Amino acid sequence: MASVAPLKSRVQPAVSRPVFHSGPVGFAVSRSFSNSQAHKKWRNLSLTYGERLLDFRARSGGIRLEESEKKQRRACGPVRCTAEGIERGMFVGRKERGFAAAERFKVVAMVAAVMCLCNADRVVMSVAVVPLAAKYGWSSSFLGIVQSSFLWGYMFSSFIGGVLVDRYGGKKVIAWGAALWSLATLLTPWAANHSTTSLLAVRAFFGLAEGVALPAMNHLLSRWFPNHERATAVGLSMGGFQLGNVVGLVLTPLVMTSIGISGPFVLFTSLGLLWLVTWISRVTNDPQECSSISKSELWLIQAGKADSSAIKSKPPPLRLLLSKLPTWAIILANITNNWGYFVLLSWMPVYFKTVFDVNLKQAAWFSAVPWATMAISGYIAGAASDYLIKSGYSTTSARKIMQSIGFIGPGVALLCLNYVRTPTIAAVFLTAALSLSSFSQAGFLLNMQDIAPQCAGFLHGISNSAGTLAAIISTIGTGFFVEWLGSFQAFLTLTACLYFATAIFWNLYATGERVF
């Protein structure tokens, strides 16, 4: 038990100090008063207990908890203020009059919206490239170059974006990224009309701008959410990312039919600028900078972070960062995740045509189904991870469980494809592989903030650059491998083995404790 020294009261009757009792469900709050007059006066105050507590902290220079209390808090799990019911989840927050959406829910909704736009802007070109190819007479090989030009810039900006996020914060970086990739989206039809060189340059610039999105998302959510809600927040944000594929696939053909090839590019650029205006005026980089957040919600966010005071320490050098096995567990997990994801994304329509002789138009529904299921399973993964932590599991255990599902599940699904005989069953297994892979969002994607909170953006940039390179190699290598062996099953088996090997490495060396 730890006690907090009270501020000297301006009223004469002495008030005993508020005491925090630590237990397996969090912190319960008790208070006692020296007489009934003081009790009545304090009871009539309109502020919630969490707000009074933060007022105490502000006027008295802050509350220092003993080291033993900090350890006890980490051992006991998430922090709750049961007296005032602050712990109401990210969807509802307590206000002075009734209830309203919590500020951190508004933040994650805005992040999910920009992640949706981020992916929808990618899909626009994937759909528009068909009429553009017919208009300008592009060959199939040139189409592959156009599609891969996005990854040229994306591979480098993941690293650059991570460094910028650590220095300037997630709000500014993702705002500039959205502005620049919206501009690149608008310029794409013009560039295609001008020259192929201009088109490739604009697409590479588009990838360069979008590469900052994931590091900025991670940075913002780590600031706005306590540890036991962070996986759910990432699941919601990445759900928006996956739904962006559905939005792009559905809206782009409709708008092109009505307005023309440039129509969807103008539409998504306008949506990006509308989001940007709202983002700049409504969202702050840190909850402490938000003027509309309730003090009880701010207390919940701050109290739910195990070691937030250490985030301002000096980042470690690159050599030290790469000398630790938990760092390599994250890098290899990102490589394996991107390898499998882009193989399935790029080659599954060809797989159905080659193996089952299914007409590509008949299999078109498969293009949208995995994204919808990934959005749902990503949220389930986040909620399950947070539930494990609330139930007393360590962060390390939660990360290992989620990542194991995210690798072993897709590996088993890919192996099962060797034994299916109908395209319908094959579609079920492929959808299962993509859906289960979204559990990685609650694994290595969150683990960067766990082991290196002060340089998580930098670590994200390194691992995502390696993962993007793996995506390029796997996308190109699949074609050569299939041509060499004449079988998709062999390459899918190789991918499954990579999933299993990385899962073993992850469970041996990954940790949820702070390393740097």
Side-chain angles (χ1 to χ4, degrees):
M1 179 185 299
S3 61
V4 182
L7 182 69
K8 291 184 179 179
S9 177
R10 296 180 181 179
V11 297
Q12 292 299 324
V15 180
S16 64
R17 63 182 64 180
V19 179
F20 291 82
H21 298 286
S22 162
V25 294
F27 285 141
V29 181
S30 64
R31 19 176 210 188
S32 60
F33 300 87
S34 58
N35 56 53
S36 59
Q37 182 180 1
H39 188 182
K40 182 177 180 180
K41 182 169 185 175
W42 281 80
R43 184 180 59 189
N44 290 334
L45 290 178
S46 61
L47 296 176
T48 67
Y49 181 78
E51 290 166 336
R52 291 200 300 273
L53 179 58
L54 288 180
D55 284 340
F56 280 146
R57 297 179 68 186
R59 287 183 289 169
S60 61
I63 295 176
R64 290 189 176 182
L65 294 175
E66 297 295 334
E67 187 63 29
S68 60
E69 178 67 20
K70 291 182 180 180
K71 293 180 180 178
Q72 199 171 20
R73 283 171 53 178
R74 288 194 286 267
C76 294
V79 176
R80 302 174 177 86
C81 182
T82 56
E84 294 295 340
I86 305 174
E87 176 66 19
R88 300 181 183 275
M90 70 179 71
F91 297 100
V92 178
R94 187 181 180 101
K95 296 293 185 182
E96 284 73 14
R97 295 181 180 179
F99 298 92
E103 289 299 319
R104 62 194 189 282
F105 171 68
K106 298 176 185 177
V107 171
V108 78
M110 289 294 294
V111 172
V114 76
M115 297 305 290
C116 179
L117 285 171
C118 175
N119 225 12
D121 286 351
R122 298 184 196 182
V123 174
V124 172
M125 189 59 183
S126 299
V127 178
V129 75
V130 177
L132 285 174
K135 181 179 179 180
Y136 298 110
W138 294 341
S139 64
S140 298
S141 59
F142 184 73
L143 283 180
I145 295 175
V146 171
Q147 294 287 50
S148 66
S149 60
F150 163 81
L151 293 172
W152 304 349
Y154 187 82
M155 180 172 61
F156 295 102
S157 65
S158 295
F159 176 80
I160 298 172
V163 175
L164 292 175
V165 162
D166 288 334
R167 182 167 183 176
Y168 298 107
K171 178 186 175 179
K172 290 183 179 179
V173 173
I174 203 170
W176 276 104
L180 293 176
W181 84 56
S182 296
L183 176 63
T185 300
L186 183 65
L187 292 176
T188 298
W190 169 85
N193 287 327
H194 187 268
S195 67
T196 55
T197 303
S198 299
L199 176 62
L200 295 177
V202 168
R203 292 301 295 170
F205 178 74
F206 176 76
L208 192 69
E210 282 210 342
V212 305
L214 284 177
M217 177 199 77
N218 259 339
H219 181 276
L220 278 165
L221 298 183
S222 70
R223 297 302 186 272
W224 270 94
F225 286 87
N227 291 347
H228 64 281
E229 289 182 352
R230 209 151 42 89
T232 302
V234 170
L236 288 170
S237 300
M238 292 303 294
F241 184 79
Q242 306 302 346
L243 288 176
N245 288 281
V246 180
V247 172
L249 288 169
V250 172
L251 290 184
T252 300
L254 296 176
V255 177
M256 280 198 303
T257 302
S258 304
I259 302 176
I261 294 178
S262 62
F265 294 95
V266 175
L267 171 64
F268 285 107
T269 298
S270 302
L271 292 176
L273 295 178
L274 178 63
W275 174 90
L276 186 62
V277 171
T278 307
W279 177 262
I280 293 174
S281 61
R282 297 291 180 87
V283 176
T284 61
N285 200 58
D286 192 277
Q288 297 183 61
E289 302 168 3
C290 181
S291 59
S292 58
I293 191 172
S294 68
K295 295 175 181 177
S296 56
E297 184 181 1
L298 180 60
W299 164 246
L300 173 64
I301 294 172
Q302 292 177 331
K305 295 179 180 179
D307 201 11
S308 59
S309 62
I311 293 180
K312 297 298 183 181
S313 58
K314 185 179 179 181
L318 178 60
R319 179 180 297 180
L320 177 61
L321 194 68
L322 296 179
S323 68
K324 303 295 183 180
L325 287 173
T327 300
W328 285 103
I330 291 174
I331 294 174
L332 292 177
N334 205 326
I335 289 173
T336 301
N337 182 72
N338 281 17
W339 176 288
Y341 178 84
F342 280 95
V343 165
L344 297 178
L345 175 66
S346 304
W347 286 96
M348 282 311 98
V350 182
Y351 167 81
F352 275 90
K353 174 65 177 176
T354 304
V355 176
F356 298 106
D357 196 26
V358 173
N359 187 287
L360 293 179
K361 292 183 179 180
Q362 295 175 341
W365 62 271
F366 180 71
S367 298
V369 170
W371 310 123
T373 57
M374 285 188 75
I376 297 172
S377 61
Y379 172 76
I380 293 173
S385 179
D386 286 339
Y387 176 78
L388 289 175
I389 294 175
K390 290 179 182 179
S391 300
Y393 284 80
S394 66
T395 303
T396 300
S397 298
R399 300 289 181 257
K400 287 185 176 182
I401 291 171
M402 293 298 109
Q403 192 59 65
S404 296
I405 296 173
F407 280 166
I408 297 175
V412 171
L414 293 182
L415 288 180
C416 290
L417 287 175
N418 293 323
Y419 305 99
V420 300
R421 296 292 180 266
T422 64
T424 302
I425 301 301
V428 170
F429 280 118
L430 289 169
T431 302
L434 283 171
S435 299
L436 292 173
S437 71
S438 65
F439 277 70
S440 294
Q441 298 167 15
F444 79 88
L445 193 59
L446 282 172
N447 194 231
M448 302 172 196
Q449 285 287 344
D450 296 329
I451 72 168
Q454 83 282 21
C455 62
F458 181 57
L459 178 55
H460 192 287
I462 294 172
S463 65
N464 207 39
S465 295
T468 304
L469 180 61
I472 296 174
I473 294 173
S474 67
T475 302
I476 298 174
T478 302
F480 288 100
F481 198 93
V482 172
E483 184 177 346
W484 176 40
L485 293 179
S487 171
F488 268 101
Q489 277 84 352
F491 192 80
L492 294 178
T493 300
L494 173 65
T495 302
C497 293
L498 182 61
Y499 273 128
F500 297 145
T502 309
I504 294 172
F505 189 90
W506 175 267
N507 281 283
L508 288 176
Y509 300 114
T511 179
E513 303 299 323
R514 186 181 177 192
V515 178
F516 304 101

